[in-house]
């Protein structure tokens, strides 16, 4: 036979040997060499043939080591392993449920591990692009999702589920170990920790892919849609970071695997640039890492080589170089120096002295450096000692808490054991009762069978008695015939004596007749004997049957006694079982009552905490109101922008307070923050009122006080449990809105110092650029969504409108850049100003005009995008889009006028600004034209069909249309008047320096 055939024939046997050596009942870690032998085979058919013969359901350690080997086979084995193993999913599910009934030890761990393996196989079956070891490049990860956001969304959810199973096994192993002892150096501890190496490898890849997929999803979907993903990632990040840190401190893992450490904070998915800061965790397994069986101890003597002779000093080497080795070996031999001149000796002595001095200086510097290092090391030692003392203190606290928890755990275990014992006793009683029931049923069946056999024997006895009666009647008949023959013979003899002479002739006939009679008698005697024999046999059979009947009756009597005894024992056991069940029910009722009392106590404590928090919140708000009356508070001032920001935060807190009314604990947290924010609004509103004119100051102060009063009223409503559900926050919200509105209407010149105008111009121009950029990005996003959703005429109209809006945004962007360049030329020309800020401060009215114009441009771009979004979605009006376009044209004209008012007429930047202004005008006309065209195109599709209407209905519709025309004309006239008043007021406010 060829060598290859022999090798292939031996391989299944070698696999079985390796499996039996790797998966055994010894509580030690699986040896690496046995696991490597199992990985050499293609597929998993032979593996499962060998594993199915193992008693995995009866030995938890054996099942645990099987899970370890199977996990390693799924990760590092042939790709066919997953396909060959998925057919055993049902068996693994059943085994996981069976081991899940155990609450501690290897049983619980086996159940968790089997669920992880099933999840891993299902994940790879659903996503065949992922290999068993999960190692993929970024390009392969993109191909796995097929560039579809829905696929990436589903893949992220599946990876979350996969990582949850990994973390459950991690937590289960650590919770089953006593971490107060060095469990990682024991064989039992290593047996439980060894599979975590595979878990660490899987978890690092899953974490990396999850981060990359979440960044990809955030670039395609809104942030609110992915809030659940972010919350789930935050929870898994905390668990994985803690588990990696705990694993890296175990001695067992330090020599087998290098565990990465996750960053201090999770990635910020709301910031796209954070992806460049993400570092993929890399798990390093040393190539020559020692397995547990090949580990050796390094002796202390091997660490220091005492045979190395001390190195000669630098001076000795230089002396040997100059005078030779003979001088070093024989110091009294001066023959080699006799021929040297005195000047040469002096020169050498000076040279050596200089070198010695340099060496001394170097030695001194080394000594100073070593002293500095020693001082630093002493400081580090002191820090480590302090940290060690702190860790010792924390350890003592943890030991105390662990001891307390251990005592509670022992009590709970004792209660659990008592309950389990009672349950077992109750189940044993039920089992005995069931067995007695079955025994009673069998005895009853046996009794019925005996009664039936007894009836059969009685019938058989009656049959035998009848046969004996018939036999006796036949015997009596034979005796009667015999007597009759004898009588006849005697009569014949008498007749013969009397009629001897007369009957001699008949003698021969009589003799023949006599012979016949004798033969008849003989046959009768023989039949009689046969009947007697049969009779005796029947009598003996009858005696046996009677004896059998007596035995059956005795056995029946004994069975009746046994039945009575079993019934009495069954009755006693039922009574005891009922008593035990009643006792258990009583204990259960006591536990439920105790739980109800604890729950009611917890509710009362929560309400007490809530009332205390509400009282403290009321005191905070009242204190803030009292500060308004303090004369020292008059000197406090604040900014209107800051007041508006605090009002917005307070409104958000009111919303959270409204939604948290159903949860007492959440309400306590919300009330605390609510009191501080409302108090801050009160103080900042009063401080802002010191910076505005008297009329506005009075209005702002009154509204701030009203806000405080509404806050106190709301807190009083929340104190009562009955009125909590009906507490209304609308009045407080209205008061905050009023304060915020008053804060937004303020004169710019009263808040800003003259030196801040220059910074504000730059800020407003940057904000305008950012608003234009954001508007362009939103339009591009809307265009992509419209192409994906809409079809036909609607898609054509939307594309034309959004394209014209994009052209308008580009033109505005060019205009803003040209305006910046022109303003830079104006400031650089200076006209005597020393700096940019002084120039803006000197020309404050012109600066405020620039600020107002840039704000108007940014606001117009935002409104245009909102209007376009509503038109694309079908909820907006085309007229609103045209109005926004005209408003942008007016705003850009205002910006151009404000920019060129101080510019040189021959400035090239002014020419570019005018050209950019013409571009904005043309782009605005394009938006209006595309909007009108789209409106007419859509209205043409909505034909008016009056064919199904009667004359009366048409007349009615005509009258309604005339009424509507008159109403719209009246409304148009009123709106035109209102528009004129609004423009007049706007010009007044803009001319007086108010912020628009």
């Amino acid at each position: 036979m060829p060598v290859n055939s022999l090798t292939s024939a031996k391989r299944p046997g070698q696999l079985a040997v390796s499996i039996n050596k790797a998966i055994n009942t010894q509580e030690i870690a699986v040896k690496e060499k046995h696991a490597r032998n199992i990985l050499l085979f293609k597929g998993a058919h032979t593996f499962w043939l060998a594993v199915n013969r193992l008693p995995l359901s009866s030995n938890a350690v054996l099942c645990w080591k099987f899970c370890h080997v199977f996990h390693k086979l799924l990760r590092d084995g042939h790709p066919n392993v997953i396909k060959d193993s998925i057919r055993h999913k049902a068996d693994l599910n059943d085994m996981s449920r069976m081991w899940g009934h155990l609450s501690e030890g290897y049983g619980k761990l086996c159940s968790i591990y089997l669920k992880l393996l099933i999840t891993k196989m299902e994940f790879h079956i659903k996503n065949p692009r992922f290999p068993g070891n999960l190692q993929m490049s970024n390009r392969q990860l993109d191909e796995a999702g097929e560039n579809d956001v829905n696929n990436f969304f589903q893949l992220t959810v599946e990876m979350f589920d996969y990582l949850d199973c990994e973390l459950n096994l991690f937590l289960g192993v650590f919770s089953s170990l006593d971490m107060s002892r060095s469990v990682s150096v024991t064989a039992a501890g290593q047996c439980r920790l060894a599979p975590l190496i595979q878990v660490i490898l899987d978890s690092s890849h899953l974490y990396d892919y999850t981060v990359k997929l979440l960044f990809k999803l955030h670039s395609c979907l809104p942030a609110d849609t992915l809030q659940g993903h972010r919350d789930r990632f935050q929870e898994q990040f905390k668990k994985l970071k803690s588990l990696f840190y705990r694993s890296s401190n175990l001695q067992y893992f330090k020599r087998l695997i290098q565990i990465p450490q996750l960053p201090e904070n999770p990635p910020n998915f709301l910031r796209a640039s954070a992806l460049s800061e993400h570092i993929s965790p890399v798990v390093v397994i040393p190539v020559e890492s020692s397995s547990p069986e090949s580990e050796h101890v390094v002796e202390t003597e091997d660490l220091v080589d005492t045979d190395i002779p001390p190195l000669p000093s630098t001076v000795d080497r230089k002396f040997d170089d100059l005078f030779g080795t003979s001088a070093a070996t024989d110091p009294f031999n001066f023959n080699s120096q006799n021929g040297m001149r005195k000047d040469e000796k002096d020169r050498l002595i000076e040279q050596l002295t200089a070198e010695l001095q340099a060496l001394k200086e170097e030695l001194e510097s080394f000594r100073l450096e070593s002293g500095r290092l020693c001082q630093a090391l002493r400081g580090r030692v002191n820090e480590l000692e302090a940290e060690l003392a702190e860790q010792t203190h924390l350890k003592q606290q943890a030991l105390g808490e662990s001891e307390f928890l251990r005592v509670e755990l022992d009590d709970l275990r004792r209660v659990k054991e008592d309950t389990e014992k009672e349950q077992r006793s109750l189940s044993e009683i039920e089992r005995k009762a069931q067995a007695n029931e079955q025994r009673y049923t069998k005895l009853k069946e046996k009794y019925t069978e005996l009664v039936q056999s007894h009836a059969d024997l009685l019938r058989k006895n009656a049959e035998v008695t009848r046969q004996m009666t018939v036999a006796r009647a036949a015997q009596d008949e034979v005796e009667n015939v015999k007597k009759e023959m004898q009588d006849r013979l005697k009569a014949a003899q008498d007749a013969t004596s009397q009629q001897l002479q007369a009957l001699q002739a008949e003698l021969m006939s009589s003799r023949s007749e006599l012979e016949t009679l004798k033969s008849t008698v003989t046959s009768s005697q023989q039949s009689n004997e046969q009947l007697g024999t049969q009779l005796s046999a029947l009598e003996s059979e009858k005696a046996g049957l009677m004896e059998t009947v007596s035995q059956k009756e005795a056995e029946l009597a004994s069975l009746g006694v046994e039945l009575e005894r079993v019934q009495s024992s069954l009755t006693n056991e039922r009574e005891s079982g009922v008593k035990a069940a009643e006792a258990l029910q009583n204990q259960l009722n006591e536990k439920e009552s105790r739980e109800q009392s604890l729950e009611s106590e917890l509710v009362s404590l929560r309400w007490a905490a809530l009332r205390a928090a509400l009282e403290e919140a009321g005191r905070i708000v009242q204190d803030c109101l009292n500060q308004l009356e303090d004369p020292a508070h008059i000197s406090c001032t604040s900014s209107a922008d800051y007041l508006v920001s605090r009002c917005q935060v307070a409104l958000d807190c009111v919303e959270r307070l409204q939604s948290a009314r159903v949860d007492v604990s959440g309400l306590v947290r919300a009330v605390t923050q609510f009191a501080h924010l409302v108090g801050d609004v009160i103080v900042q509103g009063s401080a802002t009122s010191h910076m505005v004119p008297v009329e506005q100051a009075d209005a702002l102060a009154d509204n701030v006080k009203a806000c405080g009063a509404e806050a106190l009223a709301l807190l009083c409503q929340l104190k009562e449990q009955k009125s909590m559900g009906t507490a209304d926050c609308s009045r407080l919200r209205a008061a905050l809105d009023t304060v915020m509105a008053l804060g937004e209407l303020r004169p710019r010149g009263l808040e800003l110092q003259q030196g801040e105008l220059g910074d504000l111009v730059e800020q407003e121009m940057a904000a305008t650029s950012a608003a234009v950029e954001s508007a362009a990005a939103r339009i591009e996003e809307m265009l992509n969504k419209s192409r994906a959703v809409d079809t036909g005429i609607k898609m054509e109209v939307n594309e034309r409108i959004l394209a014209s809006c994009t052209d308008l945004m580009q033109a505005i962007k060019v205009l803003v850049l040209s305006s910046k360049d022109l303003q830079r030329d104006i400031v650089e020309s200076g006209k005597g100003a020393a700096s940019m800020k002084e120039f803006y401060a000197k020309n404050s009215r012109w600066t405020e005009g620039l600020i107002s114009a840039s704000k108007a441009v940014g606001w117009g771009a935002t409104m245009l995008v909102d209007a376009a979004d509503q038109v694309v979605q079908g909820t907006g009006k085309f007229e609103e889009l045209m109005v926004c376009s005209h408003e942008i044209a007016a705003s850009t004209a205002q910006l151009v006028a404000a920019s060129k008012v101080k510019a040189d007429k021959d400035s090239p930047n002014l020419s570019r600004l005018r050209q950019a202004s013409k571009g904005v005008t043309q782009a605005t006309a394009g938006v209006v034209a595309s909007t009108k065209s789209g409106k007419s195109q859509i209205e043409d599709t909505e034909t008016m069909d009056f064919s199904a209407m009667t004359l009366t209905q048409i007349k009615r519709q005509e009258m309604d249309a005339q009424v509507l025309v008159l109403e719209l004309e009246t409304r148009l006239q009123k709106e035109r008047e209102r528009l004129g008043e609004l423009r007049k007021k706007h010009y007044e406010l803009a001319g007086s320096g108010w912020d628009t």
Side-chain angles (χ1 to χ4, degrees):
M1 182 180 294
V3 178
N4 294 335
S5 301
L6 288 172
T7 304
S8 61
K10 291 181 180 179
R11 289 179 65 183
Q14 293 175 356
L15 178 61
V17 172
S18 299
I19 290 173
N20 291 330
K21 287 184 179 179
I23 306 175
N24 51 48
T25 57
Q26 297 179 3
E27 196 174 2
I28 58 175
V30 176
K31 294 184 178 180
E32 186 67 21
K33 59 182 180 180
H34 298 151
R36 282 198 299 268
N37 293 335
I38 299 173
L39 297 178
L40 297 177
F41 292 84
K42 298 182 178 178
H45 292 292
T46 310
F47 173 77
W48 282 104
L49 289 176
V51 166
N52 287 334
R53 292 194 291 268
L54 298 176
L56 300 178
S57 299
S58 59
N59 193 303
V61 177
L62 193 69
C63 183
W64 176 254
K65 298 179 79 172
F66 155 75
C67 293
H68 182 191
V69 174
F70 185 43
H71 193 178
K72 190 170 183 63
L73 186 62
L74 290 175
R75 273 189 53 81
D76 302 328
H78 195 272
N80 292 333
V81 170
I82 298 175
K83 298 178 182 177
D84 297 340
S85 302
I86 193 64
R87 68 189 63 177
H88 299 277
K89 173 185 171 183
D91 298 335
L92 296 178
N93 261 324
D94 296 338
M95 196 183 307
S96 174
R97 284 195 296 270
M98 188 272 293
W99 285 118
H101 294 299
L102 299 180
S103 59
E104 56 186 5
Y106 279 98
K108 181 180 179 182
L109 296 179
C110 289
S111 176
I112 298 174
Y113 208 167
L114 288 169
K115 291 178 182 177
L116 168 60
L117 296 176
I118 294 170
T119 303
K120 181 176 180 64
M121 289 191 296
E122 291 176 347
F123 177 82
H124 288 290
I125 291 297
K126 291 180 181 178
N127 304 282
R129 295 178 183 266
F130 283 83
N133 56 9
L134 295 175
Q135 293 181 0
M136 297 181 70
S137 63
N138 292 336
R139 182 179 60 81
Q140 291 173 337
L141 184 62
D142 293 337
E143 292 175 355
E146 299 177 354
N147 292 326
D148 188 355
V149 67
N150 296 319
N151 294 342
F152 286 126
F153 191 96
Q154 182 62 29
L155 184 60
T156 307
V157 174
E158 293 174 0
M159 285 190 176
F160 280 146
D161 297 338
Y162 192 176
L163 190 55
D164 277 337
C165 294
E166 303 277 2
L167 295 176
N168 289 338
L169 181 60
F170 234 134
L171 294 172
V173 172
F174 276 133
S175 62
S176 67
L177 296 174
D178 186 4
M179 304 307 290
S180 62
R181 298 184 291 113
S182 300
V183 294
S184 64
V185 298
T186 62
Q190 292 178 0
C191 182
R192 298 193 184 195
L193 291 173
L196 294 186
I197 295 177
Q198 311 300 321
V199 176
I200 292 171
L201 292 170
D202 286 344
S203 300
S204 62
H205 291 299
L206 290 174
Y207 166 78
D208 184 27
Y209 299 155
T210 304
V211 172
K212 294 177 180 178
L213 290 176
L214 283 177
F215 273 109
K216 188 178 294 294
L217 288 175
H218 278 80
S219 66
C220 302
L221 297 176
D224 295 339
T225 306
L226 301 172
Q227 182 64 41
H229 280 51
R230 290 198 299 274
D231 295 341
R232 195 171 180 184
F233 177 82
Q234 295 277 352
E235 181 180 359
Q236 290 186 349
F237 176 84
K238 293 178 182 177
K239 292 182 181 179
L240 190 61
K241 178 178 175 64
S242 174
L243 293 172
F244 274 9
Y245 177 77
R246 293 174 64 184
S247 302
S248 61
N249 293 329
L250 293 178
Q251 188 66 28
Y252 176 70
F253 288 119
K254 288 182 179 179
R255 55 187 172 76
L256 294 178
I257 188 172
Q258 183 178 347
I259 303 174
Q261 295 300 322
L262 299 183
E264 186 66 25
N265 297 316
N268 184 8
F269 299 108
L270 301 179
R271 185 167 57 89
S273 61
L275 179 60
S276 60
E277 302 171 3
H278 169 67
I279 300 176
S280 300
V282 179
V283 180
V284 179
I285 298 180
V287 179
E288 297 296 330
S289 63
S290 59
S291 58
E293 65 270 13
S294 63
E295 186 179 1
H296 63 278
V297 180
V298 180
E299 297 295 333
T300 308
E301 289 79 11
D302 298 334
L303 299 176
V304 181
D305 190 358
T306 59
D307 296 335
I308 300 175
L311 296 174
S313 65
T314 307
V315 178
D316 294 338
R317 290 198 304 273
K318 291 183 177 293
F319 187 82
D320 293 340
D321 295 338
L322 292 172
F323 300 104
T325 57
S326 62
T329 57
D330 188 5
F332 298 99
N333 184 11
F334 297 97
N335 294 328
S336 61
Q337 304 176 20
N338 292 333
M340 299 180 65
R341 296 189 305 273
K342 184 177 180 180
D343 294 339
E344 187 70 19
K345 290 181 181 180
D346 293 340
R347 187 179 63 78
L348 291 173
I349 290 171
E350 290 175 359
Q351 182 180 356
L352 292 174
T353 304
E355 292 179 356
L356 182 62
Q357 185 63 28
L359 291 173
K360 285 182 179 180
E361 292 176 357
E362 185 177 359
L363 179 63
E364 184 65 24
S365 65
F366 285 160
R367 186 180 293 110
L368 293 176
E369 182 67 20
S370 63
R372 187 182 63 80
L373 292 175
C374 289
Q375 188 67 24
L377 290 175
R378 287 194 190 96
R380 181 60 178 166
V381 167
N382 293 333
E383 292 177 0
L384 293 176
E385 288 178 352
E387 186 177 354
L388 179 61
E390 183 179 359
Q391 294 293 334
T392 305
H393 178 65
L394 294 176
K395 180 181 178 182
Q396 293 296 331
Q397 291 182 350
L399 288 175
E401 293 179 358
S402 64
E403 186 65 26
F404 176 73
L405 293 174
R406 189 177 292 109
V407 171
E408 288 189 352
L409 182 61
D410 293 337
D411 294 339
L412 292 175
R413 285 178 177 173
R414 191 160 45 252
V415 172
K416 182 180 179 182
E417 289 176 357
D418 295 339
T419 306
E420 289 179 352
K421 287 180 181 179
E422 292 173 354
Q423 291 179 352
R424 283 197 296 271
S425 62
L426 181 60
S427 61
E428 185 68 21
I429 290 170
E430 292 178 352
R431 187 182 61 79
K432 288 182 179 180
Q434 188 175 3
N436 289 331
E437 287 284 352
Q438 294 177 355
R439 190 175 180 184
Y440 172 75
T441 304
K442 290 181 179 179
L443 290 174
K444 188 175 180 181
E445 292 176 354
K446 191 68 176 178
Y447 175 74
T448 305
E449 184 179 356
L450 289 174
V451 170
Q452 185 68 28
S453 63
H454 183 256
D456 293 340
L457 290 174
L458 289 177
R459 284 194 296 270
K460 195 172 182 180
N461 188 18
E463 183 66 24
V464 171
T465 304
R466 188 181 61 78
Q467 290 179 0
M468 289 177 65
T469 304
V470 172
R472 287 196 182 99
Q475 187 177 5
D476 293 338
E477 184 178 357
V478 170
E479 289 179 353
N480 293 330
V481 171
K482 184 179 179 181
K483 289 180 179 179
E484 183 180 356
M485 291 296 107
Q486 289 177 356
D487 292 340
R488 289 178 65 183
L489 178 60
K490 187 176 181 179
Q493 290 177 355
D494 292 339
T496 303
S497 62
Q498 295 177 1
Q499 299 176 0
L500 182 59
Q501 293 81 12
L503 294 175
Q504 286 180 351
E506 298 178 359
L507 180 60
M508 294 303 293
S509 60
S510 297
R511 287 179 178 176
S512 60
E513 187 178 354
L514 181 61
E515 290 296 332
T516 303
L517 290 173
K518 284 182 179 180
S519 61
T520 304
V521 169
T522 302
S523 62
S524 298
Q525 289 179 353
Q526 290 177 355
S527 63
N528 192 11
E529 290 176 357
Q530 291 178 358
L531 289 175
T533 303
Q534 291 179 358
L535 183 61
S536 60
L538 290 173
E539 288 179 352
S540 62
E541 186 178 358
K542 178 182 178 181
L545 291 174
M546 293 298 291
E547 184 178 358
T548 303
V549 170
S550 62
Q551 291 178 356
K552 295 296 183 180
E553 289 178 350
E555 185 177 355
L556 184 62
S558 63
L559 289 174
V561 174
E562 181 69 19
L563 180 61
E564 292 178 356
R565 184 181 65 79
V566 169
Q567 288 178 346
S568 62
S569 63
L570 180 60
T571 303
N572 295 331
E573 289 177 355
R574 283 180 178 175
E575 292 177 355
S576 61
V578 171
K579 292 180 181 178
E582 291 177 353
L584 290 175
Q585 186 65 32
N586 293 332
Q587 293 180 1
L588 182 61
N589 294 333
E590 291 177 358
K591 289 182 180 179
E592 290 179 353
S593 62
R594 188 163 62 251
E595 289 178 357
Q596 291 177 357
S597 62
L598 290 175
E599 186 175 357
S600 61
E601 184 178 355
L602 178 61
V603 171
S604 61
L605 290 175
R606 286 179 177 176
W607 273 107
L610 177 60
R611 291 192 182 93
L614 290 171
E615 292 176 357
E616 182 64 25
R619 285 194 291 269
I620 292 173
V621 175
Q622 187 62 45
D623 179 65
C624 294
L625 290 173
N626 295 335
Q627 289 183 17
L628 303 184
E629 308 298 332
D630 190 358
H633 183 66
I634 299 175
S635 60
C636 296
T637 59
S638 180
S639 171
D641 289 330
Y642 184 70
L643 174 61
V644 171
S645 64
R646 301 314 295 167
C647 287
Q648 185 62 46
V649 176
L651 284 171
D652 296 339
C653 184
V654 170
E655 294 296 334
R656 290 195 297 273
L657 183 67
Q658 182 77 15
S659 60
R661 289 185 300 177
V662 296
D663 184 13
V664 177
S665 58
L667 189 59
V668 172
R669 293 191 296 269
V671 162
T672 305
Q673 186 182 13
F674 167 78
H676 288 287
L677 292 176
V678 172
D680 195 11
V681 169
I682 294 172
V683 174
Q684 297 300 329
S686 177
T688 306
S689 66
H690 300 156
M691 296 291 295
V692 298
V694 178
E695 295 179 357
Q696 290 185 348
D698 294 339
L700 185 58
D702 293 340
N703 281 280
V704 165
K705 292 179 182 179
C707 180
E710 293 297 335
L712 292 175
L714 178 61
L715 293 175
C716 292
Q717 291 180 0
L718 294 176
K719 287 182 182 179
E720 299 297 332
Q721 188 173 1
K722 296 181 179 179
S723 61
M724 177 183 290
T726 60
D728 188 12
C729 301
S730 60
R731 300 179 65 180
L732 177 59
R733 194 181 297 110
L736 288 172
D737 289 334
T738 305
V739 173
M740 187 166 64
L742 290 174
E744 290 177 347
L745 298 174
R746 74 279 188 192
R748 175 64 63 181
L750 293 178
E751 291 182 10
L752 297 175
Q753 299 297 327
Q754 295 296 326
E756 298 176 357
L757 286 174
D759 297 335
L760 187 59
V761 170
E762 295 295 329
Q763 292 174 5
E764 292 298 335
M765 294 300 292
T768 302
S769 300
V772 172
E773 290 288 343
S774 176
R778 284 187 59 190
I779 290 173
E780 185 67 24
E781 183 181 356
M782 286 188 290
L783 184 58
N784 294 332
K785 288 184 178 179
S786 176
R787 290 172 178 172
V789 176
D790 299 328
T791 58
I793 296 176
K794 186 176 181 182
M795 183 182 69
E796 180 183 353
V797 171
N798 291 341
E799 285 184 352
R800 190 160 59 246
I801 292 175
L802 293 177
S804 62
C805 291
T806 303
D807 297 337
L808 179 59
M809 290 298 111
Q810 296 297 329
I812 293 173
K813 189 186 303 182
V814 174
L815 177 68
V816 171
L817 294 177
S818 301
S819 176
K820 286 183 179 180
D821 296 336
L822 182 60
Q823 291 170 24
R824 192 179 301 110
D825 289 344
I826 295 172
V827 174
E828 286 176 358
S829 62
K831 297 185 178 181
S835 64
M836 181 184 294
K837 290 186 177 180
E838 292 179 358
F839 179 83
Y840 283 121
K842 182 179 178 180
N843 301 277
S844 60
R845 299 292 295 179
W846 175 70
T847 304
E848 289 177 0
L850 282 177
I851 294 171
S852 177
S854 60
K855 273 194 172 184
V857 172
W859 177 81
T862 305
M863 293 301 295
L864 177 68
V865 174
D866 294 338
D869 190 8
Q870 292 178 359
V871 168
V872 170
Q873 293 179 1
T875 59
K877 299 179 180 179
F878 291 91
E879 291 79 6
E880 186 177 359
L881 186 59
M882 288 187 284
V883 170
C884 291
S885 302
H886 290 301
E887 185 65 28
I888 285 183
S891 301
T892 53
Q894 182 183 355
L895 181 60
V896 171
S899 298
K900 70 180 183 179
V901 67
K902 290 183 176 295
D904 190 2
K905 295 181 179 180
D906 299 329
S907 174
N909 289 325
L910 179 59
S911 300
R912 284 195 292 270
L913 180 63
R914 289 173 177 171
Q915 191 66 29
S917 176
K918 292 180 180 179
V920 171
T921 303
Q922 293 175 359
T924 304
V927 172
V928 174
S930 61
T931 304
K932 289 182 178 179
S933 175
K935 179 181 178 183
S936 61
Q937 192 171 0
I938 290 178
E939 289 176 352
D940 290 340
T941 58
E942 300 174 356
T943 58
M944 298 182 184
D945 187 12
F946 304 115
S947 58
M949 298 178 62
T950 62
L951 179 62
T952 305
Q953 291 175 346
I954 292 176
K955 187 64 178 178
R956 181 64 180 174
Q957 292 287 340
E958 181 181 358
M959 294 175 64
D960 292 340
Q962 290 177 356
V963 172
L964 183 60
V965 167
L966 294 175
E967 289 177 354
L968 290 176
E969 288 176 351
T970 305
R971 185 178 176 185
L972 177 62
Q973 184 64 27
K974 291 182 179 179
E975 289 297 326
R976 283 176 176 171
E977 294 175 358
R978 183 170 176 268
L979 178 60
E981 294 296 327
L982 287 174
R983 286 178 176 174
K984 186 185 299 183
K985 187 65 177 179
H986 177 263
Y987 294 151
E988 291 176 0
L989 293 176
S992 60
W994 286 82
D995 184 13
T996 56

